Amino acid sequence: MSRYVFPFEQGRASQRELLGGKGAGLSEMSYIGLPVPPGFTITTEACNLYQELDHFPEGMMDEVWTHLTELEAKLSRRLGDPQKPLLVSVRSGAPISMPGMMDTVLNLGLNSATVEGLAALTQNRRFALDSYRRFIQMFGNVVMHMEHNRFEHVLQEVKDAAGVQQDPDLSEAALEDVIDRYKTLVRSETGRDFPEDAREQLEMAIKAVFDSWKNPRAIVYRRLNKIPETLGTAVNVQSMVFGNMGPTSATGVLFTRNPNTGEPGMYGEYLTNAQGEDVVAGIRTPKMIQEMAQEMPKTFQELTDVCRLLETHYRDMQDIEFTVEREKLYLLQTRTGKRTARAAVKIAVDLVAEGIITRDEALLRQDPDQVARLLYRQIDPAAELDVLAQGLPASPGAASGKVVFDADEAEARGNRGEAVILVRPETTPDDIHGIVAAQGVLTSRGGMTSHAAIVARGMGKPAVTGCESVRISLEAREFMVGDITVHENDVITIDGGTGRVVKGIVPTVEPGLSEDFNTLLAWADEIKTLGVEANADTPEDAQIARDFGAQGVGLCRTEHMFMGQDRLPAMQAMILAETLAEREAALQKLLPMQQEDFYGILKAMDGYPVTIRLLDPPLHEFLPNMAETEKALAQAQQEGRVDDVVRLEAILRRSRVLFEFNPMLGFRGVRLGIVYPEIYAMQAQAIFQAQAALLQEGYHPVVEVMIPLVGIDQEFIRMRDLIQQVNEATQQRTGLDLPYKIGTMIEIPRAALTAGTIAESAQFFSFGTNDLTQTTFGFSRDDAESKFLPHYLAEKILTENPFMVLDRQGVGKLIEMAVHDGRRTRPDLKVGICGEHGGDPSSIEFCHLAGLNYVSASPFRVPIARLAAAQAFLRHQSH
Amino acid sequence: MSRYVFPFEQGRASQRELLGGKGAGLSEMSYIGLPVPPGFTITTEACNLYQELDHFPEGMMDEVWTHLTELEAKLSRRLGDPQKPLLVSVRSGAPISMPGMMDTVLNLGLNSATVEGLAALTQNRRFALDSYRRFIQMFGNVVMHMEHNRFEHVLQEVKDAAGVQQDPDLSEAALEDVIDRYKTLVRSETGRDFPEDAREQLEMAIKAVFDSWKNPRAIVYRRLNKIPETLGTAVNVQSMVFGNMGPTSATGVLFTRNPNTGEPGMYGEYLTNAQGEDVVAGIRTPKMIQEMAQEMPKTFQELTDVCRLLETHYRDMQDIEFTVEREKLYLLQTRTGKRTARAAVKIAVDLVAEGIITRDEALLRQDPDQVARLLYRQIDPAAELDVLAQGLPASPGAASGKVVFDADEAEARGNRGEAVILVRPETTPDDIHGIVAAQGVLTSRGGMTSHAAIVARGMGKPAVTGCESVRISLEAREFMVGDITVHENDVITIDGGTGRVVKGIVPTVEPGLSEDFNTLLAWADEIKTLGVEANADTPEDAQIARDFGAQGVGLCRTEHMFMGQDRLPAMQAMILAETLAEREAALQKLLPMQQEDFYGILKAMDGYPVTIRLLDPPLHEFLPNMAETEKALAQAQQEGRVDDVVRLEAILRRSRVLFEFNPMLGFRGVRLGIVYPEIYAMQAQAIFQAQAALLQEGYHPVVEVMIPLVGIDQEFIRMRDLIQQVNEATQQRTGLDLPYKIGTMIEIPRAALTAGTIAESAQFFSFGTNDLTQTTFGFSRDDAESKFLPHYLAEKILTENPFMVLDRQGVGKLIEMAVHDGRRTRPDLKVGICGEHGGDPSSIEFCHLAGLNYVSASPFRVPIARLAAAQAFLRHQSH
């Protein structure tokens, strides 16, 4: 019985480890009765023993000869037989695909005698000679380790001598000359003759494929792709078939469905009387596969049947290679076909309809990150692009517009209906109104989590950040890339999905949830146990989120509401207030604005919970930049503008008091609420008044109040008592029942560590994983991403950016502890996550495993989150 | 059987809960046969029932009358008897002492008849009348709730009418007049007569004492001191004795040993023919207790015996009150005497020598924080002080010197041998050379953990910080406090133990470890299981630490070494280097300096481990202030100093690159080592070369290399491999075996959370609890202490400043996890703490409980740490 060699008809798809991917595929096709040119596979085990012993394992070649003899008998041809020569291909095939990394030899078996036999069989001596020429070149390079260009050089000499340009123009005589010269070259370079003995050729080729497992390219490829060295490669020895044996022969490649759109029906091309290489070489224009219906109706029907069989068998769309040799169809390869995100969705939904796969499988086959792109306008893949620069893909989607360098300008022109792209070195909270009005944002500095990136993602607006080759001159109102200057008002297109910056307007593809996608998401919703909510700060965002299937607002940040041009003055007045009375007066101005915001968001999410986070950022973020204020003050002093001097001096005085060494760890979050309870009281009043107004109009607002940055149970208790007082007063004033929940962000380690105590008074937890990651790692995000984090990722000290993919080992451990301790205190504690991780599939999987109730993602990530949540459930349902 | 009333002779010291502190003390003294004026105690239980019922519990007064009758029989006097009147005191006495909070009535039983009886008995009618007058006043105030000053007003009227100034000058007639007027006043104010019936007086007084448990002062006092409301107070009814019955009577107070020095022998004073009030009032000058040996030898001997008995019985130095009535000695009170730290040590050691207490008890009786003061020069308690201002006691010790406002000036003059005090609004690392050379530091801003405070504590140098009433004018070189101006060169004294700033030079008391203290610490060392090491950055500090008993350096910070005036330029050159080659050249200049430092420290700690932490702070800390550099650059540009312009521009350029939003969470610690491995390599080389040099000289250096701010196992592994390479190279070069340990700080939460993984490669952990507290709480210390932390402490949101006392709930939980997980991976993992908490007794107790191997404290806290470690062991030895 064989140990090292398996004929295709004895193997199965499940033996991938032993037979490699290609061998297992050929075996499987043979097994299910598809017409595969016969052959056999030498196992990976043999390869590994070879690597160990440095020679073929004992008995392996005996097995090869035995199976070769069987193959010869089956085909009535013999390797090296001058009349009826058997030709074979010798190909590598590892358990994990390593495309192009290892070696292949075709047409093995040709020599000075068999070449004439092939000429007779194909009735094409020129083809036979050219095949022999190619075989010597390939074998010389792959097996005998000669440089490829030595052969090319000889070929060129002969072409020059013959006065021809192209290979196909060479005559039979010229090819004979090439073959002779090749043989001379082999002799002089390697010191031996090119092997005439076909069996010697085979033995040498097998050894060469084994050796190619250890070639430097393959080693590097495996290291980069984390493929174990111990897998080894199999070797497939397969009889050659020829698609160029006249008008009843052909060769082609096809997908069983359209890989771009997912539409059913074969999609591919073929050439009659041609070999596979000819399709690739592009010398003749291939025909669409549908034309075969007329030209070779029997074969077309056969192919159609094969496609159905393969899809049913492999339960997925396939990418196949075939050859027709004198009306006989052969399959040379089948594999799962690559496809666009759009096609992936459609194919999966169709395969469910066709009864081939289950809904669970359809869901599991989607790559959420790839599917995410469907939700954004994309550059048409067919468009020709004049790519100016490449930055970071900070917020997906494509947008075109006139270049503008200033947020105020962007706002003014955007509001007039002009399409503009805001281009800045970096953005700050002062630029938000400009980002709102622009089609997209391009910055030359800042990472994937810079201000521009976060804000743009939150708004679902395209952004390219950290585009360092773009050199901006704000004074000249232009930017340069290399020698090219782009002026204000020039049109550019940015692609936030890839980071490309393109000159001019380019065609784009419409985004949106297709019917198939919605079908898939409906299945996801049926299956997933994790709720999906959205981070939304405006009624518009809340509506988008709801349309994308969000079942609530998991994070409504109240500070963005204060950034509006009409609100900032009142906010600044509040901050500059020197007495409680002054502060309360300023707060009273903000109250109706806040109430209006809450009214709109609660209305948009009617019936679903809206989690409103009270004021979080340090107050100095609402004041203008100190250095700029100092300059403005100097100017005002010079010009004798007394009122401005007074105002600017007040701002500067307050800014200096509020200055912090580490604002991230400073006077913000609940610490503001503790020191200035009147701020939180105002916000609570706005919330409950909005709730009362909606109830009176017949709506069903579901209010959740969230206290940020709690680390000490007493912080929470004091604020809870304050909110409760405001609630009671509002109930009394309105005569309405105003129910609400109150909970806290868990975003600093101490909150997680003392979660059991905090849960005594908090009704829900929401993990703020952005800050929790910062404090757990001791990383300031802004500083880390501009200083050492890129180095850490490049050096693999970290394998993922922990601000993008939740760190399960550290941050995750805190989350698990907090969930466990919190629920032990309060079994019905609602627990969610509202950091940026809420939209990342790996992080969502973690949230599912950690037993969270929901994730909250930015509106445009909601569909992804629904999908990822379903996948997490399916992957771990046995747990 | 009694339920509510216990005569003194039936109670015991252990019944404090039921009888109150005073009652239990009187009972105990009665029990051991000491002469106590008889009486009885009404229990706290009766008080609590009274509070509940709002009237005396049933049967209570019956018991009082029964026990009163027994008391009368015993003394042959009767309450209200005109001939042989019994007078009693009625005093409160709670289980926990609440001095002055509740009420007392003396001389109860006096009325218009018994006053004459008392006059006859004392042969002093004036005294009897005055007692009666005082009784009415006290009873009227305490029991009948009349205002004290109403009585004083009447008294003044009579004095005016009589034309006398002082109370003692009032004649008997005048006193009779006062008594009449008092009674009239009582009638008109309360609508009833002053009670003549002595039993009614007693009943009313008991009720008043019960009521006083609920008086507002007492309630506030209990809230502040966390005394439960449910304790209640007992009432002690005790027969009065009189020390003013002629020359064989006396009254006095004494300590059984000297409470200032601890020297053995009675220490106190007495007056013959006087009452307790007279001693307090200070009208007559009391005599030293030793004079009694001549004056009343029998009583003196009795007192001596009583003291011995009390000390043996209570096993501690006592503070007693006594009265001698006609040669008969009575004890009215005994309690454990308050004492100075110095006395506490001596008394404890002496009591051990006398066989009265055990060594364990001697150790447990010390208050480490109080004892800490012994190690610093203190202001002589007897000195008269002209206190200018009061700041925070940031670093203990007293120092006098001329005021200097500038670090360079302080250094120059300090090095010339002048005593100077550096006065700054706040200090920065740029000021360190000035602090080194000054006697002490005074700052107007900054808390207990400001830069000045930390640096000064580290150096064991006095500092007063946050002294806000000091308004400094650096230009005018003076500071003002109120209207007083202190100029440069004026002399001041600061007391860092109390925060006082005093004008001029004041006498101070020498510090140091007394022989007794050393004895105590030797006992501590025998008992404690926790090692005590020291934080030391210089050979001098290491030597001080060793002299104070440190068994190693737990934290040697290498960055302070770069701050010296001679080293900073080389350090700055290293930071400004633009290429690896430039950086390595600059590092080569630093290498010999580092080596010299390490050589000195390892030598001073010969035979004990020295844990050297590689460079930690962000590089910008070594560059001059950006704003100042900008100014200097403008000046240099104006003056055309080309070289300076080039240099300053380079510094500014680098400063801008190094600028961070949150430096605390930025590019520092191991992150520097990862990005610039050449820095750590240089430091490692300096360490191993110093080790080699010492080995060649016959020393026994014990090297531990510590990597700061690790949060990811790969960070540690990369640095470990680097250090190992340097070690091997140095071993090869020197031909010596250079053993070392390598470990890490655990100072960010992720390090604690992944300690099990980190311990796979780290041989020791050292908890950096300063940073760990910052990251666990999400508090920037500088910002928190200047913004919200004082508010948090005032509002009791936090009960302790977590930067002073380790937060067991949050930070402590991380430490416990890390110890547990680390030791599971590596059972012999050495674990210590090197934050400021390493010198705090409560935190040391936590470290003991968490199973740490050692704490590392600043040198001057080492003795405290030894003591606290022993106490922790003793308190928890059953665990």
Side-chain angles (χ1 to χ4, degrees), chain A residues 377-379 395-402 419-421 438-441 461-463 491-496 500-502 504-506 508:
Chain A
R377 179 174 288 273
Q378 286 175 271
I379 288 183
S395 177
S400 302
K402 292 181 185 168
V420 297
I421 304 288
Q439 301 298 308
V441 187
K461 202 156 280 227
V491 172
I492 62 170
T493 299
I494 60 171
D495 180 356
R500 289 175 299 182
V501 180
V502 184
I505 292 188
V506 291
T508 53

Side-chain angles (χ1 to χ4, degrees), chain B residues 169-185:
Chain B
D169 298 336
L170 285 170
S171 63
E172 290 181 23
L175 283 169
E176 285 172 346
D177 185 22
V178 172
I179 290 166
D180 283 345
R181 286 177 185 232
Y182 273 12
K183 289 184 175 174
T184 309
L185 182 68

